Amino acid sequence: MPHSEIARIAAAFVHGVQTSGVAAIAKHFPGFPVLEHDPAAKDTAVGAKGWSTKTLTPFKAVVNAGVSRMMIGPAIVEAVDPTAPTTASSITVRASQEDLGFRGVVGSDDLDSPATARGRAPAETALASLLAGADRLLIPGGDEVATVAKSLAAAAVRNPIVGERLRNAANRVRALVNATDLCDFPGKQKRG
């Protein structure tokens, strides 16, 4: 299917679900057209020749349609940033914001997938993703949630930049929740 047709369908979907009060998510930015392996099972990357700017066409369309969330993908895309998995790449996050104009909530992909972790512990990968610009971190659950939370809290105490990033991320997620029908919680501002 041509990128233009994918873009048209994706933009219509975003418009439809968000008109109904649901926050749509575009994923996996910047696009992963060719992967040798499943990044959730094995460390893999998109080679420099396996990605082109045409891959951004659907993302441009959903950003123009007002998509409220963007999930950054799991693996390295060599043509965008050959040094880091996209979930931990500030270059990739900035591209979604500066090149496409995305202003919504940025989310990581699964922080314990081999292509994202690349041998790091989930807490270390979470910190890298947060500092790259992710507002929401996807972790598998269980004891790992507490470990990552404690690690990020400790990093925020040691480094004011981490603390500021956490505050900004929390404010962006809170604003999204308040603007949608995602969930109800004490203190949520009711839509008018």
Side-chain angles (χ1 to χ4, degrees):
M1 182 179 296
H3 288 99
S4 59
E5 183 65 4
I6 295 167
R8 185 189 67 75
I9 293 166
F13 176 81
V14 166
H15 176 75
V17 297
Q18 291 195 170
T19 300
S20 300
V22 176
I25 186 166
K27 61 183 200 174
H28 294 93
F29 186 80
F32 295 82
V34 180
L35 284 170
E36 189 174 331
H37 304 285
D38 177 355
K42 193 170 187 178
D43 190 2
T44 191
V46 176
K49 294 181 181 178
W51 185 91
S52 76
T53 56
K54 289 180 186 176
T55 307
L56 295 176
T57 301
F59 291 103
K60 289 177 185 175
V62 296
V63 168
N64 289 339
V67 71
S68 54
R69 298 183 296 159
M70 179 87 67
M71 179 182 279
I72 306 300
I76 287 176
V77 176
E78 291 177 1
V80 178
D81 182 355
T83 66
T86 54
T87 285
S89 167
S90 60
I91 292 169
T92 303
V93 173
R94 276 197 315 271
S96 74
Q97 296 163 337
E98 294 172 6
D99 298 346
L100 301 185
F102 178 67
R103 297 292 177 255
V105 170
V106 174
S108 76
D109 202 346
D110 196 348
L111 296 177
D112 74 342
S113 73
T116 299
R118 308 201 84 205
R120 297 179 294 195
E124 186 181 354
T125 307
L127 179 59
S129 185
L130 177 76
L131 291 175
D135 301 310
R136 186 203 46 77
L137 303 172
L138 179 60
I139 53 179
D143 294 339
E144 212 55 61
V145 174
T147 301
V148 168
K150 287 176 186 173
S151 177
L152 289 176
V157 169
R158 289 189 310 273
N159 184 341
I161 293 170
V162 175
E164 184 63 23
R165 237 340 262 131
L166 280 171
R167 277 188 293 283
N168 288 341
N171 288 337
R172 291 170 63 80
V173 171
R174 191 176 298 112
L176 173 65
V177 170
N178 282 329
T180 64
D181 293 330
L182 281 176
C183 63
D184 199 15
F185 61 89
K188 178 180 176 181
Q189 298 170 1
K190 303 296 181 190
R191 294 195 317 158

